[in-house]
Amino acid sequence: MLKQLAHALLLLAASHAGAAELPPIAVYMPKVCLACIDWAEHLRQHGFTVQVTQTDEMDAVKRKLKVPKELEAVPSASIAGYFIEGHVHAEQIKELLSEKPKALGLAVPGLPLGAPGREYSSPICQTACTVLDMETAAPRIRREFYETLLVMPNGRTSTWARH
C-alpha cells in the first residue's frame, strides 16, 4: 500500500512539473465566441498559458497556420510550431508536445457537441455560442462522436483520438 501511494505521489509530482514546462499557446477566435472562450479556459485549467486574440480575420489566420480548408473549425491556435484547429482536448495537445511527431498539428473539424467548450451549446448557433439548455431543471450535456486528427506535412490525416 505504501509503495502504491509513493508511486501515485511521484506521478502527481511529475504531472505538475510537466505542466510548468508547457509552452504558451496562442489562441485565435472570432470576436465574441463564447464556446471558444470556454475552450481557452479549458486549456488554462489544464496548465497552459493562453494568449487569446479575437479577430475578424480568421481566414487569414488559418492560411498563415496552413490549416487545410476541409479541416477548419472556429478557433485556431499555435503552439511549439504546431497548429491546433478546433476544440482539441488539452491532454491531446500535451501528448502531441510529448511525442513531437513530424506533423503540422491536430484538428477537430467543425463544431462537435461535447468537445471542450462545446459541452453546453446550441446546435443552431452558427458561431458556436455557448448557451445552457434550459429545457430541464439541470443543464444537460449533449455529445456526438468525433475524432481528433493528426495532420501530416503532406496534408494527409490519421486518427489521433476518438471521442
Coordinates of all heavy atoms in Angstrom, one line a residue, residues 6-104:
A6 N 3.4 6.0 -2.8 CA 4.6 6.6 -3.2 C 4.6 6.8 -4.7 O 5.0 7.8 -5.2 CB 5.8 5.9 -2.7
H7 N 4.2 5.7 -5.4 CA 4.1 5.8 -6.9 C 3.1 6.8 -7.4 O 3.4 7.6 -8.3 CB 3.8 4.4 -7.4 CG 3.7 4.4 -8.9 ND1 4.9 4.5 -9.7 CD2 2.7 4.2 -9.8 CE1 4.5 4.4 -11.0 NE2 3.2 4.2 -11.0
A8 N 2.0 6.9 -6.7 CA 1.0 7.9 -7.1 C 1.5 9.3 -6.8 O 1.2 10.2 -7.6 CB -0.3 7.6 -6.3
L9 N 2.2 9.5 -5.7 CA 2.7 10.8 -5.4 C 3.8 11.2 -6.5 O 3.8 12.4 -6.9 CB 3.3 10.9 -4.0 CG 2.3 10.9 -2.9 CD1 2.9 10.8 -1.5 CD2 1.4 12.1 -3.0
L10 N 4.6 10.3 -6.9 CA 5.6 10.6 -7.9 C 4.9 11.0 -9.2 O 5.4 11.9 -9.9 CB 6.5 9.4 -8.1 CG 7.6 9.2 -7.1 CD1 8.3 7.8 -7.3 CD2 8.6 10.3 -7.1
L11 N 3.9 10.2 -9.6 CA 3.2 10.6 -10.8 C 2.5 12.0 -10.8 O 2.6 12.7 -11.7 CB 2.1 9.5 -11.1 CG 2.6 8.2 -11.6 CD1 1.4 7.2 -11.8 CD2 3.2 8.3 -13.0
L12 N 2.0 12.3 -9.6 CA 1.3 13.6 -9.4 C 2.4 14.7 -9.5 O 2.2 15.7 -10.2 CB 0.6 13.6 -8.1 CG -0.1 14.9 -7.7 CD1 -1.2 15.2 -8.8 CD2 -0.7 14.9 -6.3
A13 N 3.5 14.5 -8.9 CA 4.6 15.5 -8.9 C 5.1 15.6 -10.4 O 5.4 16.8 -10.8 CB 5.8 15.1 -8.0
A14 N 5.3 14.5 -11.1 CA 5.7 14.6 -12.5 C 4.7 15.3 -13.4 O 5.1 16.1 -14.2 CB 6.0 13.2 -13.0
S15 N 3.4 15.1 -13.1 CA 2.4 15.8 -13.9 C 2.5 17.3 -13.7 O 2.3 18.1 -14.6 CB 1.0 15.3 -13.7 OG 0.6 15.6 -12.4
H16 N 2.7 17.7 -12.4 CA 2.8 19.2 -12.1 C 4.0 19.8 -12.6 O 4.0 20.9 -13.1 CB 2.7 19.4 -10.6 CG 1.3 19.2 -10.0 ND1 0.3 20.1 -10.4 CD2 0.8 18.3 -9.2 CE1 -0.8 19.7 -9.8 NE2 -0.6 18.6 -9.1
A17 N 5.1 19.0 -12.6 CA 6.4 19.5 -13.2 C 6.3 19.7 -14.7 O 6.7 20.7 -15.3 CB 7.5 18.6 -12.9
G18 N 5.6 18.8 -15.3 CA 5.4 18.8 -16.8 C 4.5 20.0 -17.2 O 4.7 20.7 -18.2
A19 N 3.5 20.3 -16.3 CA 2.6 21.5 -16.6 C 3.4 22.8 -16.6 O 3.1 23.7 -17.4 CB 1.5 21.5 -15.6
A20 N 4.4 22.9 -15.7 CA 5.1 24.1 -15.6 C 6.0 24.3 -16.9 O 6.4 25.4 -17.2 CB 6.0 24.1 -14.4
E21 N 6.3 23.3 -17.6 CA 7.2 23.3 -18.7 C 6.4 23.5 -20.0 O 7.0 23.5 -21.1 CB 8.0 22.1 -18.8 CG 8.9 21.9 -17.6 CD 9.6 20.6 -17.5 OE1 9.6 19.8 -18.5 OE2 10.1 20.3 -16.4
L22 N 5.1 23.6 -20.0 CA 4.3 23.7 -21.2 C 4.6 25.0 -21.9 O 4.6 26.1 -21.3 CB 2.8 23.6 -20.9 CG 2.3 22.2 -20.5 CD1 0.8 22.4 -20.0 CD2 2.4 21.2 -21.6
P23 N 4.8 25.0 -23.2 CA 5.0 26.3 -23.9 C 3.6 27.0 -24.0 O 2.6 26.4 -23.9 CB 5.4 25.9 -25.3 CG 4.9 24.5 -25.5 CD 4.9 23.9 -24.1
P24 N 3.7 28.3 -24.2 CA 2.4 29.1 -24.3 C 1.7 28.7 -25.5 O 2.3 28.3 -26.5 CB 2.9 30.6 -24.3 CG 4.3 30.5 -24.7 CD 4.9 29.2 -24.3
I25 N 0.4 28.9 -25.5 CA -0.4 28.6 -26.7 C -1.1 29.9 -27.1 O -1.7 30.6 -26.3 CB -1.4 27.5 -26.4 CG1 -2.2 27.1 -27.7 CG2 -2.3 27.7 -25.3 CD1 -2.9 25.8 -27.7
A26 N -1.0 30.2 -28.4 CA -1.7 31.4 -28.9 C -3.0 31.0 -29.5 O -3.0 30.2 -30.5 CB -0.8 32.1 -30.0
V27 N -4.1 31.4 -29.0 CA -5.5 31.1 -29.5 C -6.1 32.2 -30.2 O -6.1 33.4 -29.8 CB -6.4 30.7 -28.3 CG1 -7.8 30.4 -28.8 CG2 -5.8 29.4 -27.6
Y28 N -6.6 31.9 -31.4 CA -7.3 32.9 -32.3 C -8.7 32.5 -32.4 O -9.0 31.3 -32.7 CB -6.6 33.0 -33.7 CG -5.1 33.2 -33.6 CD1 -4.2 32.2 -33.5 CD2 -4.7 34.6 -33.6 CE1 -2.8 32.5 -33.4 CE2 -3.3 34.8 -33.5 CZ -2.4 33.8 -33.4 OH -1.1 34.0 -33.3
M29 N -9.6 33.5 -32.2 CA -11.0 33.2 -32.3 C -11.8 34.4 -32.9 O -11.3 35.5 -32.8 CB -11.6 32.8 -30.9 CG -11.5 34.0 -29.9 SD -12.1 33.5 -28.3 CE -10.8 32.5 -27.7
P30 N -12.9 34.2 -33.5 CA -13.7 35.3 -33.9 C -14.2 36.1 -32.7 O -14.3 35.6 -31.6 CB -14.9 34.7 -34.6 CG -14.9 33.3 -34.4 CD -13.6 32.9 -33.7
K31 N -14.5 37.4 -33.0 CA -15.0 38.3 -31.9 C -16.3 37.7 -31.4 O -17.2 37.4 -32.1 CB -15.1 39.7 -32.3 CG -13.7 40.3 -32.6 CD -13.8 41.7 -32.9 CE -12.4 42.2 -33.1 NZ -12.4 43.6 -33.7
V32 N -16.5 37.7 -30.3 CA -17.1 37.1 -29.2 C -17.8 35.8 -29.6 O -18.9 35.7 -30.0 CB -18.1 38.0 -28.5 CG1 -18.6 37.4 -27.2 CG2 -17.6 39.4 -28.2
C33 N -17.0 34.7 -29.4 CA -17.4 33.4 -29.5 C -17.3 32.7 -28.1 O -16.2 32.5 -27.7 CB -16.6 32.6 -30.5 SG -17.0 30.8 -30.6
L34 N -18.4 32.6 -27.4 CA -18.3 32.1 -26.0 C -17.8 30.7 -26.0 O -17.1 30.3 -25.0 CB -19.7 32.2 -25.4 CG -20.2 33.6 -25.3 CD1 -21.6 33.6 -24.6 CD2 -19.3 34.5 -24.5
A35 N -18.1 29.8 -26.9 CA -17.6 28.4 -26.9 C -16.0 28.5 -27.1 O -15.4 27.7 -26.4 CB -18.2 27.6 -28.1
C36 N -15.5 29.4 -27.8 CA -14.0 29.5 -28.0 C -13.4 30.0 -26.7 O -12.3 29.5 -26.3 CB -13.7 30.4 -29.1 SG -14.2 29.9 -30.7
I37 N -14.1 30.9 -26.0 CA -13.6 31.4 -24.7 C -13.6 30.3 -23.7 O -12.7 30.1 -22.9 CB -14.5 32.6 -24.2 CG1 -14.2 33.8 -25.1 CG2 -14.2 32.9 -22.8 CD1 -15.2 34.9 -24.9
D38 N -14.6 29.4 -23.7 CA -14.7 28.3 -22.9 C -13.6 27.3 -23.2 O -13.0 26.7 -22.3 CB -16.0 27.5 -23.0 CG -17.2 28.3 -22.3 OD1 -16.9 29.3 -21.6 OD2 -18.3 27.9 -22.6
W39 N -13.2 27.1 -24.5 CA -12.1 26.2 -24.9 C -10.8 26.8 -24.3 O -10.0 26.0 -23.8 CB -12.1 26.0 -26.4 CG -10.9 25.2 -26.8 CD1 -10.7 23.9 -26.5 CD2 -9.9 25.5 -27.7 NE1 -9.6 23.4 -27.1 CE2 -9.0 24.4 -27.8 CE3 -9.5 26.7 -28.3 CZ2 -7.9 24.4 -28.6 CZ3 -8.4 26.7 -29.1 CH2 -7.6 25.6 -29.2
A40 N -10.6 28.1 -24.4 CA -9.4 28.7 -23.9 C -9.3 28.5 -22.4 O -8.2 28.2 -21.9 CB -9.3 30.2 -24.2
E41 N -10.4 28.6 -21.7 CA -10.4 28.3 -20.3 C -10.1 26.9 -20.0 O -9.4 26.5 -19.0 CB -11.8 28.7 -19.7 CG -11.9 28.6 -18.2 CD -10.8 29.3 -17.4 OE1 -10.3 30.4 -17.9 OE2 -10.4 28.9 -16.3
H42 N -10.6 25.9 -20.8 CA -10.3 24.5 -20.7 C -8.8 24.3 -20.7 O -8.2 23.6 -19.9 CB -11.0 23.7 -21.8 CG -10.4 22.3 -22.0 ND1 -10.8 21.3 -21.2 CD2 -9.6 21.9 -23.0 CE1 -10.1 20.2 -21.7 NE2 -9.4 20.5 -22.7
L43 N -8.1 25.0 -21.7 CA -6.7 24.9 -21.8 C -6.0 25.4 -20.5 O -5.0 24.8 -20.0 CB -6.2 25.6 -23.0 CG -6.7 25.1 -24.4 CD1 -6.3 26.0 -25.5 CD2 -6.3 23.7 -24.6
R44 N -6.4 26.6 -20.0 CA -5.9 27.2 -18.8 C -6.0 26.2 -17.6 O -5.1 26.0 -16.8 CB -6.5 28.5 -18.5 CG -6.1 29.6 -19.3 CD -6.7 30.9 -18.8 NE -6.4 32.0 -19.7 CZ -7.3 32.4 -20.7 NH1 -8.5 31.9 -20.8 NH2 -6.9 33.4 -21.5
Q45 N -7.2 25.6 -17.5 CA -7.4 24.6 -16.4 C -6.5 23.4 -16.5 O -6.3 22.7 -15.5 CB -8.9 24.2 -16.4 CG -9.8 25.3 -15.9 CD -11.2 25.0 -16.0 OE1 -11.6 23.9 -16.5 NE2 -12.1 25.9 -15.7
H46 N -5.9 23.2 -17.6 CA -5.0 22.0 -17.8 C -3.6 22.5 -17.9 O -2.7 21.7 -18.4 CB -5.4 21.2 -19.0 CG -6.7 20.4 -18.8 ND1 -7.9 20.9 -18.9 CD2 -6.8 19.1 -18.4 CE1 -8.8 20.0 -18.6 NE2 -8.2 18.9 -18.3
G47 N -3.3 23.7 -17.4 CA -1.9 24.1 -17.2 C -1.3 24.9 -18.3 O -0.1 25.3 -18.2
F48 N -2.0 25.2 -19.3 CA -1.5 26.0 -20.4 C -1.5 27.5 -20.1 O -2.5 28.0 -19.5 CB -2.2 25.8 -21.7 CG -1.9 24.5 -22.3 CD1 -2.7 23.4 -22.1 CD2 -0.8 24.3 -23.2 CE1 -2.5 22.1 -22.7 CE2 -0.6 23.1 -23.8 CZ -1.4 22.0 -23.5
T49 N -0.6 28.3 -20.5 CA -0.6 29.7 -20.5 C -1.2 30.1 -21.9 O -0.6 29.8 -22.9 CB 0.8 30.3 -20.4 OG1 1.3 29.9 -19.1 CG2 0.7 31.9 -20.4
V50 N -2.3 30.8 -21.9 CA -3.1 31.0 -23.1 C -3.1 32.5 -23.4 O -3.5 33.3 -22.6 CB -4.6 30.5 -22.9 CG1 -5.4 30.7 -24.2 CG2 -4.6 29.0 -22.6
Q51 N -2.7 32.8 -24.6 CA -2.9 34.2 -25.1 C -4.0 34.2 -26.2 O -3.9 33.5 -27.2 CB -1.6 34.6 -25.8 CG -1.7 36.0 -26.4 CD -0.5 36.3 -27.3 OE1 0.5 35.6 -27.4 NE2 -0.6 37.5 -28.0
V52 N -5.0 34.9 -25.9 CA -6.2 35.0 -26.8 C -6.2 36.2 -27.6 O -6.0 37.3 -27.1 CB -7.5 34.9 -26.0 CG1 -8.7 35.1 -26.8 CG2 -7.6 33.6 -25.2
T53 N -6.4 36.0 -28.9 CA -6.6 37.1 -29.9 C -7.9 36.9 -30.6 O -8.2 35.9 -31.2 CB -5.5 37.1 -30.9 OG1 -4.2 37.2 -30.3 CG2 -5.6 38.3 -31.9
Q54 N -8.8 37.9 -30.4 CA -10.1 37.9 -31.1 C -9.9 38.7 -32.4 O -9.4 39.8 -32.3 CB -11.2 38.5 -30.2 CG -11.5 37.6 -29.0 CD -12.7 38.1 -28.2 OE1 -13.1 39.2 -28.3 NE2 -13.1 37.2 -27.3
T55 N -10.4 38.1 -33.5 CA -10.1 38.8 -34.8 C -11.3 38.5 -35.7 O -12.0 37.5 -35.6 CB -8.8 38.3 -35.4 OG1 -8.6 38.9 -36.7 CG2 -8.8 36.8 -35.6
D56 N -11.4 39.5 -36.7 CA -12.4 39.3 -37.8 C -11.7 38.6 -39.0 O -12.3 38.4 -40.0 CB -13.0 40.6 -38.2 CG -13.9 41.2 -37.1 OD1 -14.6 40.4 -36.4 OD2 -13.9 42.4 -37.0
E57 N -10.4 38.3 -38.8 CA -9.6 37.8 -40.0 C -9.2 36.3 -39.8 O -8.1 36.0 -40.0 CB -8.3 38.7 -40.1 CG -8.6 40.2 -40.3 CD -9.4 40.5 -41.6 OE1 -9.1 39.7 -42.6 OE2 -10.2 41.4 -41.5
M58 N -10.2 35.5 -39.4 CA -9.9 34.1 -39.1 C -9.4 33.4 -40.4 O -8.5 32.5 -40.3 CB -11.1 33.4 -38.5 CG -11.4 33.8 -37.1 SD -10.0 33.5 -35.9 CE -9.8 31.7 -36.0
D59 N -9.9 33.7 -41.5 CA -9.4 33.1 -42.8 C -7.9 33.3 -42.9 O -7.2 32.4 -43.3 CB -10.2 33.6 -44.0 CG -11.6 33.0 -44.1 OD1 -11.8 32.0 -43.5 OD2 -12.4 33.6 -44.8
A60 N -7.4 34.5 -42.7 CA -6.0 34.8 -42.8 C -5.2 34.1 -41.8 O -4.1 33.6 -42.1 CB -5.8 36.3 -42.6
V61 N -5.7 33.9 -40.6 CA -5.0 33.2 -39.5 C -4.9 31.7 -40.0 O -3.8 31.1 -39.9 CB -5.8 33.2 -38.2 CG1 -5.3 32.2 -37.2 CG2 -5.8 34.7 -37.6
K62 N -6.0 31.1 -40.5 CA -5.9 29.7 -40.9 C -5.0 29.5 -42.0 O -4.2 28.5 -42.1 CB -7.3 29.2 -41.2 CG -8.2 29.2 -40.0 CD -9.7 28.9 -40.3 CE -10.6 29.0 -39.1 NZ -10.2 28.4 -37.9
R63 N -4.9 30.4 -43.0 CA -3.9 30.3 -44.1 C -2.5 30.4 -43.6 O -1.6 29.7 -44.0 CB -4.2 31.4 -45.1 CG -5.5 31.4 -45.8 CD -5.9 30.2 -46.7 NE -6.1 28.9 -46.0 CZ -7.2 28.5 -45.4 NH1 -8.3 29.3 -45.4 NH2 -7.3 27.3 -44.8
K64 N -2.3 31.4 -42.6 CA -0.9 31.5 -42.1 C -0.5 30.3 -41.3 O 0.7 29.9 -41.4 CB -0.9 32.7 -41.1 CG 0.4 33.0 -40.5 CD 0.4 34.2 -39.5 CE 1.7 34.3 -38.8 NZ 1.7 35.3 -37.7
L65 N -1.4 29.6 -40.6 CA -1.1 28.4 -39.9 C -1.0 27.2 -40.8 O -0.7 26.1 -40.3 CB -2.0 28.2 -38.7 CG -2.0 29.3 -37.6 CD1 -3.1 29.0 -36.6 CD2 -0.7 29.4 -37.0
K66 N -1.5 27.3 -42.1 CA -1.5 26.2 -43.0 C -2.5 25.1 -42.7 O -2.3 23.9 -42.8 CB -0.1 25.6 -43.2 CG 0.8 26.6 -43.8 CD 2.2 26.0 -44.0 CE 3.1 27.1 -44.6 NZ 4.5 26.9 -44.5
V67 N -3.7 25.6 -42.2 CA -4.8 24.6 -41.8 C -5.5 24.3 -43.1 O -6.0 25.2 -43.8 CB -5.8 25.3 -40.9 CG1 -7.0 24.4 -40.6 CG2 -5.1 25.7 -39.6
P68 N -5.6 23.0 -43.5 CA -6.3 22.6 -44.7 C -7.8 23.0 -44.6 O -8.4 22.9 -43.5 CB -6.2 21.1 -44.7 CG -4.9 20.8 -43.9 CD -4.9 21.8 -42.8
K69 N -8.3 23.5 -45.7 CA -9.7 24.0 -45.7 C -10.7 23.0 -45.2 O -11.6 23.4 -44.4 CB -10.0 24.4 -47.2 CG -11.3 25.2 -47.3 CD -11.0 26.7 -47.1 CE -12.2 27.5 -47.4 NZ -12.3 28.7 -46.5
E70 N -10.5 21.7 -45.6 CA -11.5 20.7 -45.2 C -11.4 20.3 -43.7 O -12.3 19.6 -43.2 CB -11.4 19.5 -46.0 CG -10.0 18.7 -45.9 CD -8.9 19.3 -46.7 OE1 -9.0 20.3 -47.3 OE2 -7.8 18.6 -46.7
L71 N -10.4 20.8 -43.0 CA -10.3 20.5 -41.6 C -10.6 21.7 -40.7 O -10.5 21.7 -39.4 CB -8.9 20.1 -41.3 CG -8.4 18.8 -42.0 CD1 -7.0 18.5 -41.6 CD2 -9.3 17.6 -41.7
E72 N -11.1 22.8 -41.2 CA -11.4 24.0 -40.5 C -12.5 23.9 -39.4 O -13.4 23.1 -39.6 CB -11.7 25.2 -41.4 CG -10.5 25.7 -42.2 CD -10.8 26.9 -43.0 OE1 -12.0 27.4 -43.0 OE2 -9.9 27.3 -43.8
A73 N -12.3 24.6 -38.4 CA -13.3 24.7 -37.3 C -13.4 26.2 -37.0 O -13.1 27.1 -37.8 CB -12.8 23.9 -36.1
V74 N -13.8 26.6 -35.8 CA -14.0 28.0 -35.5 C -12.6 28.5 -34.9 O -12.0 29.4 -35.5 CB -15.2 28.3 -34.5 CG1 -15.2 29.7 -34.1 CG2 -16.4 27.9 -35.3
P75 N -12.2 28.0 -33.7 CA -10.9 28.6 -33.2 C -9.7 27.9 -33.8 O -9.8 26.8 -34.3 CB -11.0 28.2 -31.7 CG -11.8 26.9 -31.6 CD -12.8 27.1 -32.8
S76 N -8.6 28.6 -33.9 CA -7.3 28.1 -34.3 C -6.3 28.5 -33.2 O -6.5 29.5 -32.5 CB -6.9 28.7 -35.6 OG -7.8 28.4 -36.6
A77 N -5.2 27.7 -33.1 CA -4.2 28.0 -32.2 C -2.8 27.6 -32.7 O -2.8 26.8 -33.7 CB -4.5 27.3 -30.9
S78 N -1.8 28.1 -32.1 CA -0.4 27.8 -32.5 C 0.4 27.5 -31.2 O 0.3 28.3 -30.2 CB 0.2 29.0 -33.2 OG 1.5 28.7 -33.5
I79 N 1.1 26.4 -31.2 CA 1.9 26.1 -30.1 C 3.1 25.3 -30.5 O 3.0 24.3 -31.3 CB 1.1 25.3 -29.0 CG1 2.0 25.1 -27.7 CG2 0.5 24.0 -29.5 CD1 1.2 24.6 -26.5
A80 N 4.3 25.7 -30.2 CA 5.6 24.9 -30.4 C 5.7 24.5 -31.9 O 6.2 23.4 -32.2 CB 5.6 23.7 -29.5
G81 N 5.3 25.4 -32.8 CA 5.4 25.0 -34.2 C 4.3 24.2 -34.8 O 4.3 23.9 -36.0
Y82 N 3.3 23.9 -34.0 CA 2.1 23.1 -34.5 C 0.9 24.0 -34.5 O 0.8 24.9 -33.7 CB 1.8 22.0 -33.5 CG 2.8 20.9 -33.4 CD1 3.6 20.7 -32.3 CD2 2.9 19.9 -34.4 CE1 4.6 19.7 -32.2 CE2 3.9 18.9 -34.4 CZ 4.7 18.8 -33.2 OH 5.6 17.8 -33.2
F83 N 0.0 23.7 -35.4 CA -1.4 24.3 -35.3 C -2.3 23.4 -34.6 O -2.1 22.2 -34.6 CB -1.9 24.8 -36.7 CG -2.4 23.6 -37.6 CD1 -3.5 22.9 -37.3 CD2 -1.7 23.4 -38.8 CE1 -3.9 21.8 -38.1 CE2 -2.2 22.4 -39.6 CZ -3.3 21.6 -39.3
I84 N -3.2 24.0 -33.9 CA -4.3 23.3 -33.2 C -5.6 23.9 -33.8 O -5.9 25.1 -33.6 CB -4.3 23.5 -31.7 CG1 -2.9 23.1 -31.1 CG2 -5.4 22.7 -31.0 CD1 -2.5 21.6 -31.3
E85 N -6.4 23.1 -34.5 CA -7.6 23.6 -35.1 C -8.8 23.0 -34.5 O -8.9 21.8 -34.4 CB -7.5 23.3 -36.6 CG -8.7 23.7 -37.4 CD -8.8 25.3 -37.5 OE1 -7.9 26.0 -37.1 OE2 -9.9 25.7 -38.0
G86 N -9.6 23.9 -34.0 CA -10.9 23.4 -33.4 C -10.7 23.1 -31.9 O -9.7 23.4 -31.3
H87 N -11.8 22.5 -31.3 CA -11.9 22.3 -29.9 C -11.2 21.0 -29.5 O -11.8 20.0 -29.1 CB -13.3 22.3 -29.5 CG -14.0 23.6 -29.7 ND1 -14.3 24.5 -28.6 CD2 -14.5 24.2 -30.8 CE1 -14.8 25.6 -29.1 NE2 -15.0 25.4 -30.4
V88 N -9.8 21.0 -29.5 CA -9.0 19.9 -29.2 C -8.8 19.8 -27.7 O -8.6 20.8 -27.0 CB -7.6 20.0 -29.9 CG1 -6.7 18.8 -29.5 CG2 -7.8 20.0 -31.4
H89 N -8.9 18.6 -27.2 CA -8.7 18.4 -25.7 C -7.2 18.7 -25.3 O -6.3 18.4 -26.1 CB -8.9 16.9 -25.4 CG -10.3 16.5 -25.3 ND1 -11.0 16.4 -24.1 CD2 -11.2 16.1 -26.3 CE1 -12.2 16.0 -24.4 NE2 -12.4 15.9 -25.7
A90 N -7.1 19.4 -24.2 CA -5.8 19.8 -23.7 C -4.8 18.6 -23.5 O -3.6 18.7 -23.9 CB -5.9 20.5 -22.3
E91 N -5.3 17.5 -23.1 CA -4.5 16.3 -22.9 C -3.9 15.8 -24.2 O -2.8 15.3 -24.3 CB -5.3 15.2 -22.2 CG -5.6 15.5 -20.8 CD -4.4 15.8 -19.9 OE1 -3.3 15.1 -20.1 OE2 -4.5 16.7 -19.1
Q92 N -4.7 15.9 -25.3 CA -4.1 15.5 -26.6 C -3.1 16.5 -27.1 O -2.1 16.1 -27.8 CB -5.3 15.4 -27.6 CG -6.2 14.2 -27.3 CD -7.5 14.3 -27.9 OE1 -7.9 15.2 -28.7 NE2 -8.4 13.3 -27.6
I93 N -3.2 17.8 -26.8 CA -2.1 18.7 -27.1 C -0.9 18.4 -26.3 O 0.2 18.4 -26.9 CB -2.6 20.2 -26.8 CG1 -3.8 20.5 -27.7 CG2 -1.5 21.2 -27.1 CD1 -4.5 21.8 -27.3
K94 N -1.0 18.0 -25.1 CA 0.1 17.6 -24.3 C 0.8 16.4 -24.9 O 2.0 16.3 -24.9 CB -0.3 17.3 -22.8 CG -0.7 18.6 -22.0 CD -1.1 18.2 -20.6 CE -1.5 19.5 -19.9 NZ -2.0 19.1 -18.5
E95 N 0.0 15.4 -25.3 CA 0.5 14.2 -26.0 C 1.3 14.6 -27.2 O 2.4 14.1 -27.5 CB -0.6 13.2 -26.3 CG -1.2 12.6 -25.2 CD -2.5 11.8 -25.5 OE1 -2.7 11.6 -26.8 OE2 -3.2 11.4 -24.6
L96 N 0.8 15.5 -28.0 CA 1.5 16.0 -29.2 C 2.8 16.6 -28.9 O 3.8 16.3 -29.5 CB 0.6 17.0 -29.9 CG 1.2 17.7 -31.2 CD1 1.1 16.7 -32.4 CD2 0.5 19.0 -31.5
L97 N 2.8 17.4 -27.8 CA 4.1 18.1 -27.4 C 5.1 17.1 -26.9 O 6.3 17.2 -27.0 CB 3.8 19.1 -26.4 CG 2.9 20.3 -26.9 CD1 2.5 21.2 -25.7 CD2 3.6 21.1 -27.9
S98 N 4.6 16.0 -26.2 CA 5.4 15.0 -25.7 C 6.0 14.1 -26.8 O 7.2 13.8 -26.8 CB 4.7 14.2 -24.7 OG 5.4 13.1 -24.2
E99 N 5.2 13.7 -27.7 CA 5.6 12.7 -28.8 C 6.3 13.4 -29.9 O 7.1 12.8 -30.6 CB 4.4 12.0 -29.3 CG 3.8 11.0 -28.2 CD 2.7 10.2 -28.7 OE1 2.6 10.0 -29.9 OE2 1.9 9.8 -27.9
K100 N 6.1 14.7 -30.1 CA 6.7 15.5 -31.2 C 6.7 14.8 -32.6 O 7.8 14.7 -33.2 CB 8.1 15.9 -30.8 CG 8.2 16.7 -29.5 CD 9.6 17.1 -29.2 CE 9.6 18.0 -28.0 NZ 10.2 17.6 -26.8
P101 N 5.6 14.4 -33.1 CA 5.6 13.8 -34.4 C 5.9 14.9 -35.5 O 5.7 16.1 -35.3 CB 4.1 13.3 -34.6 CG 3.4 14.2 -33.7 CD 4.2 14.5 -32.6
K102 N 6.4 14.4 -36.6 CA 6.6 15.3 -37.8 C 5.3 15.6 -38.4 O 4.8 14.8 -39.3 CB 7.6 14.7 -38.7 CG 9.0 14.7 -38.2 CD 10.0 14.2 -39.2 CE 11.3 14.0 -38.5 NZ 12.4 14.7 -39.0
A103 N 4.6 16.6 -38.0 CA 3.2 16.9 -38.4 C 3.0 18.4 -38.4 O 3.8 19.1 -37.8 CB 2.2 16.2 -37.5
L104 N 1.9 18.8 -39.0 CA 1.5 20.2 -39.0 C 0.8 20.5 -37.7 O 0.9 21.6 -37.2 CB 0.7 20.5 -40.2 CG 1.3 20.4 -41.5 CD1 0.3 20.7 -42.7 CD2 2.5 21.4 -41.6

